[in-house]
Amino acid sequence: MNKADNNNRILIIDDNPLIHNDFKKILTDSKKDSEKVDNLERFLFGDESIKQYNMNKTYLLEYAFSGDQALKMVEKAKNEDNPFALAFVDVRMPPGWDGIETIAKIWEVDPYMEVAICTAYADYSWDEIVSKLGYTDQIIIIKKPFEKIEVKQLATALVQKWNSTHKARSYVKEIETTLQKKIETITMIIEFANKLNTLKNLDDICSYIIEFVATLIQSERISIMLVDEKKQFLTIVKSIGIPKEIINDIIIKPGEGIAGKVFLSDSLLVVNNIENSEYPKNYSTFDSFLCAPFICAPLKGNKINLGVINVTNKRKNASFTAEDEHIMSYISCAAAVTLNNQLNEMKLEETFLGSIKALAGAIEAKDPYTKGHSERVSTLAQNIALELGFSKDNAKIVAFAALVHDIGKIGIPGYILSKPGSLSEEEFEQIKKHPEIGENILKDIKFLTKVKEIVRHHHERLDGSGYPDGLVKANISIEARILAVADTYDAMKSDRPYRKGLPLEKINNELMENSGIKYDFECVQALFRHLNR
């Protein structure tokens, strides 16, 4: 069902055909009753609801004489993506399931259906209903005999409630889909940079860059231009979608045309319409080679201008987006470092830090309560390491590990991460997998060998009660012990869906009471020294 659609389908479940007929009469519109329902809608939802939900004045009714018949109808509706918004359910329906049993089975198929229980008897107390169906806001009891306007009011309110919550769920799903797509893109970029660093042949490097850009940016004409040793000319060294005769004819001086201008700059250029661009038309000297819309990105490594990447002819004649610009900015940076063959640890760290930080931020965006957690833990861990006498470089490794310590939560379902109550045993077992998932994400990045070990062990405890390996005491690296203390401190201090942040006194007591048991004593003391400065 499209989220823009309004669902007005109601299922009547009663063993008495006369009751079916009563509902048919009641939920058939009449002017007098319609005015009453309009007034109710205005009171509950505002004037716009009358226009928005006017179709709900005539409901699509279907009827079932028993629970098993109703269940089959609900299953069919669900499979056809045309669910019922509301069911009016009689309690007594001999000889099969009663109404409460029927509702329980229906909710196993369609947990979002609104339900009105219709009864003239006190067959079940509210506590008994709750014990069988659980606490929910999707159920209401209506006593027989009922007033016509009462049924219409209930139908209006519950159907509109279903539509509102359905749209909200659709919106959340849309956000999660977008977020997942961004996470997948970031993960691809990390893999790209990692593989790029393993390639040693210039032709292989350029081929892989073009192949990756073509896949991610969805473009059919891409070229890499490199400057000669004397910095006099830019020529195409690798391309797709450009005829050979054009490739051989293209020789551009630095500062000449669009490619030459971008070569001398530090900025990527995106032009979707040359007519409306600030750049003169004569910049497009080689129309068959570079024409709008296009992206031209500089290749600059270690402050050395190497060349440019030109991207044009996006598929389906589409324009380039801000996302394309962001992706190309990263790709050109990684490509320049590799092509310049002067890749060093600092440059790698800066490159990967930006991507992994974005990935960590994307994960934290699933749950606003954890926003900024990784950066705070990173700062704490780095300061604890410095308090313990670590060198700045080694403290930086701990800080980096802390920044990505929860990266494995990319593999944990979002509903578990943001669950407002206590986790079930099965859900907690899922959570416990994130250190191993994080290690696997980082395992193929050579310079992160130490980092991945810290990430894997940041939930280990001195007494062996931690996970995933149940390590004890000295078997846990000092870096992982530092991260455990910093992570625990910030987790206790921060608000969570199920509780407010703990007072500092309680946090300090928890850390002190477990020093030497779960947490490293020296790490806890170093944390306190830092906090007291």
Side-chain angles (χ1 to χ4, degrees), residues 291-324:
C291 53
F294 67 81
I295 297 177
C296 187
L299 292 168
K300 191 168 185 176
N302 278 346
K303 299 183 179 179
I304 300 173
N305 294 338
L306 301 174
V308 296
I309 302 178
N310 301 301
V311 184
T312 187
N313 282 34
K314 189 167 183 179
R315 291 182 189 132
K316 298 181 180 179
N317 297 317
S319 296
F320 292 105
T321 64
E323 181 71 10
D324 294 331

Side-chain angles (χ1 to χ4, degrees), residues 383-392 394-395 526 529:
N383 282 299
I384 292 173
L386 292 172
E387 288 285 347
L388 292 173
F390 277 50
S391 68
K392 288 185 178 180
N394 287 336
R529 288 197 300 274

Side-chain angles (χ1 to χ4, degrees), residues 384-453:
I384 292 173
L386 292 172
E387 288 285 347
L388 292 173
F390 277 50
S391 68
K392 288 185 178 180
D393 287 342
N394 287 336
K396 204 170 182 181
I397 291 173
V398 178
F400 190 88
L403 188 64
V404 299
H405 74 283
D406 278 340
I407 198 171
K409 287 183 177 177
I410 188 176
I412 308 301
Y415 77 90
I416 294 179
L417 297 178
S418 59
K419 185 176 180 179
S422 299
L423 297 178
S424 67
E425 184 176 343
E426 182 181 348
E427 288 168 341
F428 186 59
E429 286 300 317
Q430 287 284 317
I431 286 286
K432 287 166 67 175
K433 293 178 181 178
H434 81 269
E436 293 176 88
I437 297 173
E439 180 195 36
N440 286 331
I441 290 173
L442 304 173
K443 68 179 180 181
D444 293 326
I445 304 174
K446 292 180 180 179
F447 86 97
L448 295 181
T449 299
K450 185 64 178 177
V451 170
K452 70 181 182 182
E453 293 173 358

Side-chain angles (χ1 to χ4, degrees), residues 128-144:
E128 288 174 322
I129 292 174
V130 167
S131 70
K132 291 178 178 293
L133 300 178
Y135 286 99
T136 175
D137 64 350
Q138 291 171 232
I139 197 164
I140 193 166
I141 297 174
I142 178 172
K143 290 287 186 180
K144 294 180 180 178

Side-chain angles (χ1 to χ4, degrees), residues 11 32 37 43 51 114 148 173 177 196 198 228 254 260 274 284 309 320 324 353 370 457 476:
L11 179 60
K32 181 178 179 181
V37 175
F43 177 74
K51 297 177 183 178
E114 299 291 330
K148 182 177 180 181
K173 185 176 181 180
T177 300
L196 196 62
T198 67
D228 67 312
I274 199 72
S284 299
I309 302 178
F320 292 105
D324 294 331
L353 179 63
T370 62
H457 296 143
I476 307 170

Side-chain angles (χ1 to χ4, degrees), residues 186 190 348-365 370-383 394-410 434 438-439 441-442 447-448 450-456 458 479-480 482-484 486-487 490:
I186 293 168
I190 293 173
L348 258 180
E349 182 176 306
E350 291 174 356
T351 304
F352 282 107
L353 179 63
S355 294
I356 296 176
K357 186 176 178 180
L359 182 56
I363 295 166
E364 289 184 353
T370 62
K371 186 176 182 181
H373 169 70
S374 295
E375 290 189 1
R376 294 193 300 271
V377 172
S378 179
T379 301
L380 279 176
Q382 185 172 20
N383 282 299
N394 287 336
K396 204 170 182 181
I397 291 173
V398 178
F400 190 88
L403 188 64
V404 299
H405 74 283
D406 278 340
I407 198 171
K409 287 183 177 177
I410 188 176
H434 81 269
E439 180 195 36
I441 290 173
L442 304 173
F447 86 97
L448 295 181
K450 185 64 178 177
V451 170
K452 70 181 182 182
E453 293 173 358
I454 302 171
V455 169
R456 180 181 179 90
H458 75 276
E479 293 86 355
I482 289 171
L483 180 50
D487 186 31
D490 189 78

